[in-house]
Amino acid sequence: MALKKEELLEAYRRMRTIREFEENIHRENTTGEIPGFLHLYCGQEANAVAVCMQLDDTDYIASNHRGHGHCLAKGADVKGMMLELYGKEDGLCHGRGGSMHIADVSRGILGANGIVGAGAPLATGAALTAKTLGTGGVAVSFQGDGASNEGYVFEAINMAVMWQLPMIFYFENNGYGEFTGHDYVVGSKDIAGRAAAFGLPAVRVDGTDFFEVYEAFGEALKRARAGKGPSVIEAQAVRFYGHFEGDPQAYRSTEELESVREHKDCLKILRQKLIKGKKATTAELDTIDQEAVELINACREAAKAAAFPDPATLMNNTYVSY
Amino acid sequence: MALKKEELLEAYRRMRTIREFEENIHRENTTGEIPGFLHLYCGQEANAVAVCMQLDDTDYIASNHRGHGHCLAKGADVKGMMLELYGKEDGLCHGRGGSMHIADVSRGILGANGIVGAGAPLATGAALTAKTLGTGGVAVSFQGDGASNEGYVFEAINMAVMWQLPMIFYFENNGYGEFTGHDYVVGSKDIAGRAAAFGLPAVRVDGTDFFEVYEAFGEALKRARAGKGPSVIEAQAVRFYGHFEGDPQAYRSTEELESVREHKDCLKILRQKLIKGKKATTAELDTIDQEAVELINACREAAKAAAFPDPATLMNNTYVSY
Amino acid sequence: MAEMAMRAAINSALVQEMTRDDRVILIGTDIAGGQMGSGGQEDAAGGVLGITKGLLPRFGAARVIDTPIAEMGYMGVAVGAAATGLRPVAELMFMDFIGCCGDMLLNQAAKIRYMFGGKSTCPLVMRTMIGAGANAAAQHSQSLYHWMTAVPGLKVVVPSNAYDAKGLLATAIRDDDPVIFCEHKALYDLPSAKVEVPEDDYTIPFGEANYVTEGSDVTVVALGLMTHIAAGVAAAMAGKGISVEVIDPRTTSPLDEESILESVESTGRLVVVDESAARCGFGHDVVALVADKAFHSLKAPVKLVTPPHCPTPFSPPLEQAWIPSGERVARAILETLGLDRAAIDAALAAA
Amino acid sequence: MAEMAMRAAINSALVQEMTRDDRVILIGTDIAGGQMGSGGQEDAAGGVLGITKGLLPRFGAARVIDTPIAEMGYMGVAVGAAATGLRPVAELMFMDFIGCCGDMLLNQAAKIRYMFGGKSTCPLVMRTMIGAGANAAAQHSQSLYHWMTAVPGLKVVVPSNAYDAKGLLATAIRDDDPVIFCEHKALYDLPSAKVEVPEDDYTIPFGEANYVTEGSDVTVVALGLMTHIAAGVAAAMAGKGISVEVIDPRTTSPLDEESILESVESTGRLVVVDESAARCGFGHDVVALVADKAFHSLKAPVKLVTPPHCPTPFSPPLEQAWIPSGERVARAILETLGLDRAAIDAALAAA
Ligand SMILES: Cc1ncc(C[n+]2csc(CCOP(=O)(O)OP(=O)(O)O)c2C)c(N)n1
Ligand SMILES: Cc1ncc(C[n+]2csc(CCOP(=O)(O)OP(=O)(O)O)c2C)c(N)n1
Ligand SMILES: [Mg+2]
Ligand SMILES: [Mg+2]
């Protein structure tokens, strides 16, 4: 794998944009202007970006409740995303879906999902479409360690194996499902190992290392595109904030909370590697940082100023026709 | 394992009784007197018997749609079973359940089940009761190869591991789920291996060999009783008849159909071993055979003669109180 | 035009639509059967009741897909496939199994279009078997279309004969919304459901009721198998000078409210016969419609004939008592006509 | 006797019943929280909304059991445990997730007693969160108690205030049948649901409605959060000389049919306010009851106020338009009183 400089800068830009998007939501949430439940992706950006930047619009992803990062990485419009989170008419889903259902099927995004693990069978369906219609596309489902215990996730893995679908199950193991540790709910304490027994390659990667994810996913993608069937990737990831905004995280020690930003920040790690490897200068990266801040600020202001949907349109789009 | 002679004869008797029960149903089904769907256990008797004869009334089993053998092996009243299958008021479930829901909770039988795989979580619940109340009991779920793909079966296995419950998942792999081969639907083609990755001992045994099942289950039972947690057993079993009565089995070659009775009849195999090992004489076994025939004939005649439930009692027992 | 049983009509609609549109695929447990058997026949079954027989050899394994027994998983695959360019017809063997895959209908198929702001479609058809009468007991006899009718975003079809089944299934497959297609197992071979069915391609629009019989004294709304029971009662009543109009809505969602209201406005009396549920069922929905919108036309209490509020029993005499009977329907009709119990007993005894 | 919010009342019922009976256990995802976190607090959460907080330290991990996210599995475990000697209170975090565990309720818990010929019991309580108003969008806002009410073998409770919640939950836990206990998330802290709650042990029988207000002109049947909206309208109407009787059935199964019928017999008018569904919901069930059994008392069309037939939207102004509003209830009441649209507009404008 030899990523070009532009690619590396683009990766950094996407991760930085997601980070800024989420930090902004975190700050703005206290204003009460953002409705509903919010699950932030801060800390896990390397995963979404290293995966999605290898995909194109014929490829599909299915995301979960913690979906902002996946959608942004896959190319959803940043402003449309922000407006959606504020419940505005010009949001990506016209304010109907919000954070937990944000989607853009035209960009191959089958949506965030409020049902833990549901994305696995849905994405497997997209992989079936790709195989049946010969589109050359692949499908990826993003789910957490908690989701790894949902039976239908195993069902989807089994079918992907049976039918040798172009499908990749990407588990972001951030150590917690809501407030409960991975080691408590995964009896075997080994998500990748459990999956491997279904008959497909399953690897574990460091989800704070953009390059490690990029490489492992690249391998899986190559197999999928070549018709060699599905794969599983389990990434050790890190969640900076609580399960949802407002979660006091009484189950995490202060040491853990302090150390993750210090030692396990995928963005900081990428930045250091880029500079150390002479792939980018501090100035170049600072510029990207600055641009991300400006972009998100502009989106936020646009979102605040935008109009809510008209209640007269409440029932629109329940059906195509009825 | 040194089974006493009486125990061996009792095992043979139970297997023979199940066989006779099922063959009788098979013959009688053509008369049209037996209502509903029927899934026969013929060929798999060694499994139910070698498992259940090691259990007592504080232990629970959960069965599946192919449940007659499990229930009879666990001590359900033979006549009550037969009457139930005929839909009679004095049947084990007063004619409300029939073949697919036959049960006797007082004997630790949580019922046959029309929902493939449902018995696994239900039995895991019984194991939780045993552990919580300290009854010393264990729980066993019987399910097929087809059921091994239902997600909630995996969920149950994971919980049994997490909580180290006195639970044994017994998979009877008879090669088919309905009309579809095990190798098609189990992507890894390995039920025990897939289960082992959940973090519990999982072995494969020859389900036509009473002794092999007895021993493997005995080991698992010992662990469960000692508080050492759950196990999985996958038994290679053989289904003599179609999936249900009336299935023409177009998916099985005539060679297979012919050879199973010849070479894979667990009852024949046990009989030969008993005689060869000088555990029983031909005469003794013939007597048991004869007694089984007489018992089943008597039950059948009783069932035919028995009264149907009174339609005025239709709604009884929907609730304890309402 | 030949007579066809409903079983054949459904198969024929599938052949027609799969021929017409390559994106139509079938997916379900044993819908072909025989995969990796011991060298016997593939397409060994065509579903447990043989409805999809012959489709595997005709359309190939890429379009007739046998699944593991994993309802939530394969229904999710069907929904995901529908959202990305295929038009899957997924079979849920018995509607009773909806609790094993419900989320994929309730929260995914039904809602993705709405939640995504109208930017996607989910052209999924779920075919499923409903109904009592086969001594299949409590877990294989339910008619849970009321559950699905209650879900915004789903359309629900309950055909009552071969002609309707073929035309409505074709419509369902061409529809861009998710459709739940409920087949009563007693109708597959029922002689009165065997009617003339065009070989040609035709569709029947959703939301248009069928007048099974026309009449002026009482309106009876009935679906699926119940239309046959209602029609039998209507014929018997006609002999006694009572004119019964039997309306079969054919689809519960959308519902042809107009035809029902119009009929009640002219008869002033309503009996609903519904196998779904004794509580919160489809029948209650029809009654509520009428009790609001046609209230002033009503001359008598509205009667609802459903199974009792208990699971479907196994034993044949119990099951027969459970299923709404012609006698109960007749009794309800006579009640709406103001007869008292003694008069009703006498009228029925005379029949 | 102190005032308690519904959140505390539910917690208090659980403490009371777990103290009273060792066989009562709790099971659900994160009902304690903190298991194998990084050295922080166990009992970190007490459920996503803190309802079960404090129970783990009090009763121990053998009786307050956090589960994996595996609804079908752990609900099945709860059913199996209930059939073998425990009395589990299983939490389904949001009722919207019923499609992930439905079979264990529909086909197992509800039916085992019947199918087994009355030879077993299933003393399970499933506590679950319902309701819109939290901008939680389409998959976290549903009130699917109509689905459960339709299932024979299940009992269904929808409390509307702290007093009822505690008493009904105690009853549910002592009941030998499976009970679905539906908690509207907006009620946990709603001031009008915060009422005096005895410290002492008490129970409220199932199937006995509560008269929220007494009145003589119109009967309003409302459940859960809707009773508060209805009560608000009743108070406003009282100021205009319209006497509204608001009845809260408290349990939908069994249903206190008598109280509803008696009330309609005296008022002659009925409005049902129900958050469950625009089609085949609980409201339709109540209407159908009255349209049969109290038909001759009815003086006006029966009005049903529900959300529209579309998923719950995310955006606040849309969601507010989706939830049955006081204005819509008032309008329905005035319609049953025979006012035409102009008169209703005028009356509401005056308010
Ligand atoms: C079927 C279902 N069960 C439970 C929930 C509630 N819930 C939402 S997120 C979550 C935890 C998910 O954990 P994990 O998969 O590890 O993802 P993470 O939040 O860590 O990204 C739970 C239990 C849900 N939304 N859907
Ligand atoms: C949830 C569910 N899905 C499908 C069915 C239909 N069905 C009944 S038995 C069966 C096959 C089961 O195969 P297996 O588990 O191997 O058991 P076997 O019949 O071979 O004993 C199927 C698909 C069902 N009853 N329940
Ligand atoms: Mg996690
Ligand atoms: Mg099998």
Side-chain angles (χ1 to χ4, degrees), chain A residues 44 66 144-147 172-178 239:
Chain A
Q44 304 185 200
R66 199 174 300 289
D145 46 304
E172 290 179 82
N173 178 357
N174 59 14
Y176 296 94
E178 290 193 347
R239 195 185 79 197

Side-chain angles (χ1 to χ4, degrees), chain B residues 5 8 272-281 284:
Chain B
K5 174 166 182 170
L8 290 168
Q272 283 160 355
K273 288 198 178 184
L274 290 180
I275 291 170
K276 210 168 151 206
K278 302 218 189 312
K279 300 291 188 187
T281 64
E284 282 170 327

Side-chain angles (χ1 to χ4, degrees), chain A residues 58-60 122-140 158-168 223-230, chain B residues 184, chain C residues 22-23 25 27 36 60-65 77 80-82 84-86:
Chain A
T58 64
D59 299 320
Y60 281 95
L122 294 178
T124 305
L128 181 68
T129 298
K131 180 162 182 169
T132 307
L133 300 182
T135 66
V138 306
V140 181
N158 184 46
M159 285 184 280
V161 171
M162 281 174 60
W163 298 324
Q164 288 293 295
L165 298 179
M167 174 69 204
I168 298 160
R223 271 198 305 277
R225 289 228 197 276
K228 292 188 178 150
Chain B
Y184 171 74
Chain C
D22 280 349
R23 297 167 304 168
I25 62 158
I27 182 165
M36 299 200 188
R63 294 181 63 200
V64 179
I65 306 174
V77 165
T84 54
L86 292 175

Side-chain angles (χ1 to χ4, degrees), chain D residues 33 45-46 73 79 84 92 122 142 148 152 231 240 244 251 255 265 303 321:
Chain D
V79 174
T84 55
L92 183 67
C122 186
Q142 296 166 89
M148 298 292 101
K240 292 185 185 155
V244 178
T251 61
L255 177 66
E265 276 155 17
K303 294 288 165 190

Side-chain angles (χ1 to χ4, degrees), chain A residues 63-283:
Chain A
S63 169
N64 62 358
H65 56 285
R66 199 174 300 289
H68 308 163
H70 307 135
C71 294
L72 288 168
K74 186 70 169 55
D77 180 59
V78 185
K79 186 173 148 202
M81 291 264 311
M82 188 69 87
L83 265 70
E84 186 62 28
L85 262 57
Y86 278 80
K88 300 302 173 77
E89 173 63 22
D90 287 340
L92 211 47
C93 304
H94 298 305
R96 269 62 179 178
S99 167
M100 248 190 305
H101 307 298
I102 205 152
D104 186 348
V105 177
S106 72
R107 307 306 299 265
I109 303 168
L110 283 174
N113 210 309
I115 301 300
V116 167
L122 294 178
T124 305
L128 181 68
T129 298
K131 180 162 182 169
T132 307
L133 300 182
T135 66
V138 306
V140 181
S141 63
F142 288 100
Q143 56 274 305
D145 46 304
S148 81
N149 296 310
E150 282 282 15
Y152 38 93
V153 174
F154 295 113
E155 295 179 358
I157 294 175
N158 184 46
M159 285 184 280
V161 171
M162 281 174 60
W163 298 324
Q164 288 293 295
L165 298 179
M167 174 69 204
I168 298 160
F169 300 90
Y170 193 89
F171 289 92
E172 290 179 82
N173 178 357
N174 59 14
Y176 296 94
E178 290 193 347
F179 326 120
T180 298
H182 154 278
D183 285 0
Y184 171 73
V185 284
V186 177
S188 71
K189 309 197 193 320
D190 179 1
I191 293 170
R194 205 163 60 173
F198 281 72
L200 76 180
V203 296
R204 196 173 296 114
V205 300
D206 178 353
T208 66
D209 182 346
F210 169 84
F211 295 101
E212 202 176 317
V213 173
Y214 191 93
E215 198 151 349
F217 184 78
E219 286 298 315
L221 186 62
K222 203 158 42 169
R223 271 198 305 277
R225 289 228 197 276
K228 292 188 178 150
S231 308
V232 161
I233 296 172
E234 177 190 353
Q236 306 298 321
V238 170
R239 195 185 79 197
F240 283 180
Y241 287 112
H243 169 60
F244 51 56
E245 282 300 278
D247 169 11
Q249 303 201 76
Y251 48 93
R252 289 173 96 175
S253 64
T254 35
E255 300 82 71
E256 181 190 344
L257 281 170
E258 278 160 15
S259 80
V260 289
R261 291 226 183 218
E262 190 58 28
H263 302 297
K264 294 191 171 170
D265 181 344
C266 60
L267 192 59
K268 213 186 259 181
I269 293 171
L270 177 61
R271 188 184 173 97
Q272 283 159 357
K273 287 197 178 183
L274 290 180
I275 292 170
K276 210 168 151 202
K278 303 218 186 314
K279 299 290 186 184
T281 64
T282 306

Side-chain angles (χ1 to χ4, degrees), chain C residues 230-267:
Chain C
V233 174
M237 292 275 165
K240 294 185 184 155
I242 299 171
S243 167
V244 177
E245 181 148 288
V246 177
I247 297 186
D248 172 4
R250 300 199 283 206
T251 60
T252 65
S253 178
L255 178 65
D256 183 351
E257 303 190 350
E258 258 169 68
S259 295
I260 294 170
L261 292 173
E262 244 176 51
S263 176
V264 175
E265 276 154 17
S266 86
T267 62

Side-chain angles (χ1 to χ4, degrees), chain B residues 35-36 84-85 87 95-96 98 100-101 113-115 150 176 178-181 184-185 250-253 256 308-309 318-319, chain C residues 30 34-38 40-41 45 48 66 68-71 93 97 100 135 137 139-140 308-310 313-318:
Chain B
E84 186 62 27
L85 264 56
R96 270 61 179 178
M100 248 190 306
H101 307 298
N113 210 308
I115 301 300
E150 282 283 15
Y176 296 94
E178 289 193 349
F179 326 119
T180 297
Y184 171 74
V185 283
Y251 48 92
R252 288 174 96 175
S253 64
E256 181 189 343
F308 280 112
T318 304
Y319 296 92
Chain C
D30 285 309
Q35 315 302 328
M36 299 200 188
S38 64
Q41 189 185 325
V48 273
D66 273 331
I69 314 174
E71 285 75 13
M93 200 178 287
F97 307 161
C100 299
N135 312 125
Q139 295 174 341
H140 286 70
H309 189 61
C310 73
F314 165 66
S315 184
L318 294 181

